[in-house]
Amino acid sequence: MRQADVPEARRWLARHGLTDVEPTPLIATRLEARRHAKLADSVLLAGFLIGAAVTHAAGRLADPAFSWPPLLALMALAVGLLVGQWLIGWWVRRVDRRAGAQLPQRVAHPVELGWPAVLGRSHAIYTAATFTAALLLAVSVLPMSDLGLRYGAIVVLIGLAGAGAGTVLQLRQVLVSPAVAEDEASLTADVIMRVEDARALATPSLVWSLPPIFLYGESLGWWNAAALVLVVAGVIAFGMIQMRTAGVGTAARRALAAR
């Protein structure tokens, strides 16, 4: 454990009501891995959006009707996003496994932690609804005569497919990973990290970004307004869910208390 990680770990513990818990090497190591993973995921998402925008523009310039190379490049970007996100999640779980393997004793969760306890029904429904709304918006503009708009809809559909598959795979990793804890305090911290990981995955940043960026044609239309409404309504709904649902620490303690 680096000394620089101790203050950050202590602040994280205090933020989640664990003020009486010391920032052990186990907790500090796991938190550091998650900070690096969050940064890498942000860079990966930004790279995907930039690459998709460049490819989309190149496709429109190359062939106003249709062009296979840009579409194949978009599919490769979506696959790269999926693989990259999976690798980031795999690396975090690998750090957890290595940290757990060094523990002199190890405790397990008293109950099985399913997605309702870890992610929460409201977050799950919200995520599914956001993906569905973006998907329906992209599908609804495919019959349009505007070729640029149709090409943008294909970009959105490919991006949504990659983001959806990546979210499901990473959520499965979060749910099935064994506990990494040596006592009751570190077990509580483990569940809190699990809830944080799941809720971060349920934040539809990419879903909000794709329609406004790519669903545009030769002129403005109802699809532009719908894409903007999707973002505004999504942010408002997400904020309301965050305010009305239990905090991460409370949700984790409820999951541990369910016998």
Side-chain angles (χ1 to χ4, degrees):
M1 178 177 60
R2 299 182 309 173
Q3 286 300 117
D5 298 328
V6 175
E8 183 63 33
R10 184 172 284 111
R11 284 191 292 269
W12 183 89
L13 290 168
R15 189 163 61 247
H16 296 296
L18 299 175
T19 54
D20 57 337
V21 177
E22 285 298 317
T24 61
L26 173 66
I27 294 175
T29 298
R30 299 185 68 194
L31 289 176
E32 181 189 13
R34 279 157 175 79
R35 286 195 296 272
H36 289 311
K38 185 180 297 185
L39 176 60
D41 187 68
S42 298
V43 172
L44 185 66
L45 179 59
F48 171 79
L49 290 174
I50 294 172
V54 171
T55 306
H56 177 45
R60 294 187 65 183
L61 292 174
D63 189 347
F66 189 77
S67 182
W68 273 107
L71 184 59
L72 292 176
L74 286 170
M75 295 177 67
L77 284 172
V79 172
L81 175 67
L82 173 60
V83 173
Q85 289 180 331
W86 184 87
L87 287 175
I88 291 172
W90 173 84
W91 176 76
V92 171
R93 307 306 154 201
R94 181 172 177 268
V95 171
D96 287 349
R97 287 194 300 270
R98 293 179 63 181
Q102 298 175 4
L103 296 176
Q105 62 177 7
R106 190 165 179 173
V107 298
H109 294 300
V111 293
E112 182 179 352
L113 299 177
W115 67 266
V118 176
L119 176 58
R121 295 185 186 277
S122 58
H123 283 83
I125 293 172
Y126 171 77
T127 302
T130 305
F131 269 90
T132 302
L135 179 66
L136 291 176
L137 177 58
V139 171
S140 65
V141 301
L142 282 176
M144 297 288 183
S145 59
D146 189 327
L147 295 177
L149 183 62
R150 283 158 52 185
Y151 194 88
I154 294 175
V155 176
V156 174
L157 291 174
I158 292 174
L160 289 176
T167 300
V168 171
L169 288 176
Q170 290 182 87
L171 278 175
R172 184 182 180 278
Q173 284 185 330
V174 172
L175 293 174
V176 303
S177 298
V180 182
E182 55 189 341
D183 51 25
E184 184 177 353
S186 58
L187 183 62
T188 302
D190 177 87
V191 181
I192 292 175
M193 291 182 201
R194 205 171 291 252
V195 174
E196 278 190 334
D197 292 347
R199 291 189 178 184
L201 289 171
T203 305
S205 304
L206 180 62
V207 182
W208 289 334
S209 304
L210 286 173
I213 294 176
F214 297 106
L215 291 186
Y216 61 88
E218 299 301 328
S219 60
L220 297 177
W222 62 265
W223 51 87
N224 303 105
L228 183 60
V229 168
L230 176 65
V231 176
V232 175
V235 171
I236 293 174
F238 187 74
M240 293 179 64
I241 290 174
Q242 292 289 84
M243 290 188 296
R244 295 176 65 89
T245 55
V248 174
T250 303
R253 289 175 178 84
R254 287 178 181 175
L256 283 172
R259 303 278 181 171

